Amino acid sequence: MVYIHIPFCKSFCTYCDFYSEICSGKGSNEVQNLFCDRLCAEMDERRSEIAAASVPRTLYFGGGTPSVLPAEMLERITRALGPGPYDEFTVEVNPEDIVEKGPDYVRRLLDMGVNRVSMGVQSLDDTILRWMNRRHDAARAVEAFRILREAGVKNISMDLIFGLSQLSAAQLGATLDGFLELGPEHVSAYQLSIEEGSALARMVEDGRYVEASEELCREQYSRICDTLRSAGYLHYEVSNWALPGCEAVHNSAYWSRRPYVGLGPGAHSFDGAVRRWNSDSLSGWTPSSERLTPEDTAVETVMLGLRTSRGLDPAELRAKCSQEALGRLLESGSIVEEEGRFRIPEDHFFVSDDIIRQLV
Ligand code: SF4
């Protein structure tokens, strides 16, 4: 499992705190080329780690916005990593890049071995998209989807954001209807959170944005769950839905704590015992690391496992959590035992963090 962080965006979204640099216009090609040189050098230094993290064999280009890079740079990075094919090869894209670059760009992605595209749509309401400072509007998102499909992308994931105080039931409903009309294989829905250092955090601080109430967020989440369930999507992780057989291989492997290698500035890695993360710097990122204690491992296993519909093996959960809390949660139905696994039922997913906190 290899994750490659492409730290470039053409503008910053209101809510975002991911590490990324604005890159557009004159000079951007040179900066991006230099980034590719450094990335390929890091790859060469970490060949043995990459080989040790080869099950499942997945490659994920995230960001930032990988689709701001020209196809030849993505091709160069993929070639440097070594021969495919991959069980799953995902590239994150933004709709405006796909519309601007067109079907030839998408065909080059497919020729590189990409077999899954994750598109940051977030909403199909133009007022909401403008507030988020996204570069696309709803029409461009729909157009981008069409281009991806017609070029031959068979596995498309679309991201959605909920939990905005100004998002009306009608706006959310129209976005969900629009998603279903397009028919992506996978949907990820994330609740808006106020991240330190984001434009949104400053808006909250000076009173330009009031957070949505928990009740409203819960209502919006339930609406998403109900709509996607009725359309045949499996809710296989708190924030992720897939048509049967289209669950994300790469992300599922994160949740079961498989080793992975993250390359590029700000990228994280895990070898089964040690976490490593690269600093956020384009001009030469450096690694830091920490060895997980048995307590860290227990917390992580419970946290990641119980966020999935597969849940955890009862013996594993019992060994890692408070017995008293587990008994109480089983009795209240916040955790259920089904088919030999302990899991949080879907109607308690919204409060999964609270449930997990009580356990570990
Ligand atoms: S949300 Fe994505 S496109 Fe927007 S600033 Fe963050 S990384 Fe860039």
Side-chain angles (χ1 to χ4, degrees), residues 82-101:
Y86 293 93
D87 300 335
E88 183 184 89
F89 181 174
T90 304
V91 175
E92 289 181 355
V93 304
N94 273 349
E96 62 283 356
D97 295 323
I98 297 303
V99 173
E100 279 159 25
K101 297 179 180 187

Side-chain angles (χ1 to χ4, degrees), residues 52 64 175 206:
T175 289
D206 57 29

Side-chain angles (χ1 to χ4, degrees), residues 20-328:
S20 194
E21 306 275 348
I22 294 290
C23 201
S24 58
K26 220 172 151 230
S28 63
N29 208 272
E30 202 179 311
V31 173
Q32 289 168 346
N33 260 320
L34 206 56
F35 160 76
C36 289
D37 293 345
R38 293 196 172 117
L39 189 67
C40 292
E42 182 186 14
M43 232 176 255
D44 283 340
E45 275 168 29
R46 301 181 65 191
R47 290 279 170 205
S48 57
E49 282 174 70
I50 293 170
S54 60
V55 179
R57 196 163 154 70
T58 60
L59 175 56
Y60 194 107
F61 279 46
T65 314
S67 57
V68 302
L69 285 192
E72 51 274 18
M73 288 192 198
L74 294 174
E75 285 160 357
R76 179 184 164 199
I77 297 167
T78 307
R79 258 197 324 271
L81 197 56
Y86 293 93
D87 300 335
E88 183 184 89
F89 181 174
T90 304
V91 175
E92 289 181 355
V93 304
N94 273 349
E96 62 283 356
D97 295 323
I98 297 303
V99 173
E100 279 159 25
K101 297 179 180 187
D104 283 350
Y105 185 80
V106 180
R107 279 194 280 270
R108 284 178 76 171
L109 296 182
L110 292 171
D111 288 346
M112 271 163 53
V114 171
N115 55 19
R116 183 171 182 271
V117 170
S118 175
M119 183 155 69
V121 175
Q122 319 307 357
S123 174
L124 289 176
D125 183 280
D126 289 344
T127 321
I128 298 290
L129 288 167
R130 273 195 298 276
W131 179 85
M132 290 176 175
N133 200 33
R134 299 291 301 186
R135 286 188 292 136
H136 65 276
D137 57 15
R140 285 198 142 197
V142 172
E143 173 69 356
F145 190 93
R146 190 189 59 74
I147 293 171
L148 291 172
R149 267 293 189 250
E150 286 181 9
V153 183
K154 295 193 173 66
N155 192 351
I156 304 178
S157 180
M158 284 166 55
D159 285 355
L160 166 70
I161 294 185
F162 71 98
L164 285 73
S165 49
Q166 74 275 36
L167 177 66
S168 69
Q171 285 168 318
L172 177 59
T175 289
L176 288 167
D177 289 349
F179 270 44
L180 295 187
E181 221 167 282
L182 294 171
E185 283 64 33
H186 189 279
V187 175
S188 298
Y190 299 106
Q191 184 174 332
L192 184 75
S193 58
I194 318 289
E195 302 297 342
E196 213 185 317
S198 65
L200 185 57
R202 292 190 292 282
M203 287 164 69
V204 170
E205 233 171 71
D206 57 29
R208 283 178 294 139
Y209 180 75
V210 177
E211 282 182 70
S213 67
E214 190 174 325
E215 202 36 49
L216 182 63
C217 294
R218 185 196 290 265
E219 266 173 45
Q220 294 179 357
Y221 184 71
S222 297
R223 175 98 182 254
I224 295 167
C225 294
D226 294 346
T227 307
L228 294 177
R229 188 188 321 107
S230 308
Y233 289 83
L234 305 173
H235 194 175
Y236 73 107
E237 198 267 349
V238 169
S239 307
N240 289 281
W241 289 258
L243 292 178
C246 298
E247 295 87 346
V249 178
H250 187 87
N251 288 350
S252 298
Y254 279 145
W255 304 325
S256 50
R257 302 185 70 254
R258 293 276 183 83
Y260 57 87
V261 175
L263 304 168
H268 288 235
S269 306
F270 176 57
D271 69 0
V274 175
R275 287 213 170 278
R276 162 191 161 134
W277 58 96
N278 287 342
S279 59
D280 291 349
S281 165
L282 206 53
S283 60
W285 48 95
T286 51
S288 304
S289 63
E290 69 172 353
R291 180 167 289 279
L292 297 188
T293 63
E295 292 73 31
D296 294 334
T297 302
V299 170
E300 235 181 58
T301 305
V302 172
M303 211 170 67
L304 295 172
L306 283 185
R307 283 177 60 92
T308 67
S309 60
R310 189 173 139 69
L312 283 170
D313 176 70
E316 188 172 27
L317 181 58
R318 283 189 203 285
K320 290 183 164 65
C321 77
S322 148
Q323 302 309 303
E324 185 267 322
L326 179 59
R328 202 167 9 90

